Amino acid sequence: MGDSELVVNGRATALASVPEDERLLDTLRWRLGLRGTKEGCRSGDCGACVVLVDGRSTLSCLTLTHELPGASVTTIESISEDPVGRVVQDAFVAEGAVQCGYCTPGFVVALTGLLKELPPSAPLPELLDEMQGNLCRCTGYGSIVRAIVRAREATR
Amino acid sequence: MGFTLVAPDQPKEACALLARSAPGEISVLAGGTDVLPDVEAGRVRPSRLLSLRRLPWRTLGWNGGSLTIGSTLPLREIEADPGVRERIPGLAQAVHAVGSLALRHRATLGGNLGRAAPTSDLLPILLTLDAVVNLVGVDASRSVPVDQFVVASRSTTLRPGELIASITIPEARPSQYVWQRVRPSNDISQVGVAAARASRPPYWRIALGGVVPRSIRLEGAERLLPAVRPLVSELEAAAALAARLAPFATDKRASEAYRRQLVGILVRRAVASISPPIVPPVGVA
């Protein structure tokens, strides 16, 4: 793979067709039709637009697509193909950690990236601390915290 | 937004591009977490963004007790470095205080310094570590103490055509960064206090963030701590003086009175966590 493309959910995407001032969020949603990634604040404050770039959680609203040549992007649409992503999705379902659902893709992708980034020995407070970049205005977080605990137990 | 992107792979080429451009024509793009919202809000209207992504500055290296961090290294890699956590804990804490994890996967130390926000969580700790900013230009390179590099809010001593290449911390120091906010993550600190203990006298550095126009050292308070381990009474006096010296104003984030109260508490906490203060034995005059 060269510098002229990036890979989104395993599929090569040519950069030539993408304007240089386009954000990854807009490329995903409006050019590639991947509407699972949500636009919340568009200023990096809410975490609804989080995707994985080479495995690391990234705010797609604050990232230019052209800054990622050769990178591999994973969105909510393909997260279940990742074993850890699958576990996280199952944990959110089992705990009913969804209300309106708008923030859910960001939470699931961010937690998947976090569980893969931190060692399995990482204490729960560290996980909860690192998840604070994702905001939810419905659930009151109780069910989401339970889903995080469940996913952590299942991946240790 | 209407800009093009240029990403040179040679520092000199990047500097030359900057030097040739008219004021406001080019904005520098490191992690992008500040410049992209600025462009979208119309606070800057560049026709080109100069991307630093291909420059060889995503580095972190120790030379004995001295640490040099490349300007475009994502912040997360600084706080995740075991050497930084162990030898300069205050730096790891300050970096961790910036934004959220996903933001720190892209945001950079060079970007934070170049923007020179008065609310920076990184400037206070860099002041206490006597950090030096290494700059490259078209014709020459130079190094500037961070205290002189940041002039005021959004103002630095960067000359036309200059870029931040790296930041050097000359001595790993026991250190601490503590802050107060409305929300623990993704929020701006109402007050941030950094403290560090040097290996030789004068031992103590204390710096304050969340003040306009920029973070400052509180040298008067530092002088009240003459030893490696302060007496309780010395620390109390230093904290009280810090709260008096702090040049605070009331703004949307906090009142001046609240900030002063916080400074006293945070200075006490930061210093005590580095060197527990000595309590005089009861009954000794």
Side-chain angles (χ1 to χ4, degrees):
Chain A
M1 183 184 50
D3 262 11
S4 59
E5 54 190 36
L6 78 162
V7 172
V8 179
N9 298 337
R11 266 184 47 200
T13 302
L15 283 169
S17 60
V18 178
E20 291 185 342
D21 61 355
E22 186 164 289
R23 296 166 186 227
L24 179 60
L25 173 66
D26 299 323
T27 302
L28 294 174
R29 285 181 59 85
W30 307 115
R31 206 165 291 279
L32 301 179
L34 298 169
R35 310 263 166 91
T37 303
K38 302 303 183 198
E39 177 177 312
C41 64
R42 209 175 169 83
S43 56
D45 292 310
C46 77
C49 71
V50 166
V51 299
L52 301 183
V53 174
D54 294 329
R56 296 299 164 106
S57 58
T58 300
L59 296 159
S60 64
C61 76
L62 293 186
T63 305
L64 294 178
T65 307
H66 273 265
E67 284 287 281
L68 306 174
S72 174
V73 176
T74 304
T75 71
I76 188 68
E77 281 86 354
S78 74
I79 206 78
S80 65
E81 292 165 23
D82 181 306
V84 175
R86 181 81 233 176
V87 165
V88 171
Q89 277 189 327
D90 288 347
F92 271 70
V93 171
E95 295 294 345
V98 176
Q99 201 160 321
C100 88
Y102 200 82
C103 70
T104 311
F107 269 98
V108 169
V109 173
L111 182 57
T112 301
L114 182 61
L115 287 170
K116 296 172 78 160
E117 180 174 346
L118 295 181
S121 59
L124 181 63
E126 184 178 356
L127 249 75
L128 296 177
D129 176 53
E130 298 293 14
M131 287 300 295
Q132 289 186 80
N134 291 78
L135 300 185
C136 171
R137 303 306 296 266
C138 305
T139 61
Y141 296 102
S143 56
I144 292 175
V145 169
R146 287 193 293 276
I148 293 171
V149 171
R150 181 182 281 260
R152 173 173 179 261
E153 295 300 326
T155 52
R156 293 180 90 187
Chain B
M1 286 185 277
F3 55 78
T4 58
L5 198 57
V6 52
D9 59 6
Q10 298 295 325
K12 293 284 173 200
E13 192 187 341
C15 295
L17 272 166
L18 266 184
R20 284 202 303 270
S21 66
E25 184 189 334
I26 291 192
S27 287
V28 176
L29 174 71
T33 56
D34 277 325
V35 77
L36 293 178
D38 276 356
V39 169
E40 181 140 308
R43 288 187 286 269
V44 291
R45 300 173 189 279
S47 56
R48 274 195 297 181
L49 252 54
L50 172 63
S51 166
L52 308 185
R53 74 164 188 269
R54 295 172 70 198
L55 299 179
W57 293 343
R58 291 170 73 109
T59 54
L60 185 151
W62 290 89
N63 182 4
S66 163
L67 173 68
T68 295
I69 301 168
S71 64
T72 59
L73 186 74
L75 291 179
R76 176 62 174 172
E77 307 209 11
I78 303 173
E79 64 176 308
D81 183 80
V84 172
R85 286 179 180 224
E86 191 186 318
R87 300 171 74 184
I88 321 180
L91 179 63
Q93 292 154 0
V95 166
H96 186 74
V98 177
S100 62
L101 178 63
L103 184 124
R104 296 194 303 279
H105 279 143
R106 289 203 65 80
T108 68
L109 185 53
N112 190 281
L113 268 181
R115 183 175 172 86
T119 50
S120 167
D121 284 298
L122 303 180
L123 193 49
I125 194 74
L126 293 175
L127 286 169
T128 64
L129 296 169
D130 295 308
V132 172
V133 188
N134 305 305
L135 308 172
V136 294
V138 180
D139 300 315
S141 303
R142 63 187 177 116
S143 294
V144 184
V146 69
D147 200 18
Q148 291 164 33
F149 176 76
V150 175
V151 176
S153 174
R154 311 278 162 91
S155 169
T156 69
T157 52
L158 272 174
R159 296 171 186 153
E162 273 186 336
L163 286 165
I164 304 171
S166 63
I167 291 91
T168 296
I169 293 163
E171 176 184 71
R173 290 176 178 163
S175 48
Q176 186 83 14
Y177 181 67
V178 288
W179 42 263
Q180 179 66 35
R181 301 174 180 167
V182 176
R183 292 185 300 158
S185 186
N186 252 2
D187 200 359
I188 288 170
S189 301
Q190 296 159 320
V191 170
V193 169
R197 197 188 68 210
S199 61
R200 285 184 301 275
Y203 290 109
W204 288 95
R205 310 278 187 283
I206 300 171
L208 197 56
V211 290
V212 177
R214 50 153 274 192
S215 297
I216 50 158
R217 288 256 306 272
L218 294 174
E219 286 162 355
E222 293 171 1
R223 278 194 289 271
L224 297 179
L225 303 173
V228 168
R229 269 190 80 180
L231 300 174
V232 166
S233 57
E234 290 169 348
L235 183 51
E236 289 302 321
L241 183 62
R244 270 208 309 284
L245 290 176
F248 280 131
T250 293
D251 63 21
K252 64 184 175 186
R253 289 195 190 90
S255 70
E256 180 177 339
Y258 180 56
R259 282 197 166 105
R260 280 190 202 290
Q261 178 97 6
L262 285 174
V263 170
I265 294 165
L266 295 179
V267 165
R268 211 179 302 132
R269 248 180 230 174
V271 171
S273 73
I274 298 169
S275 294
I278 299 167
V279 184
V282 178
V284 175

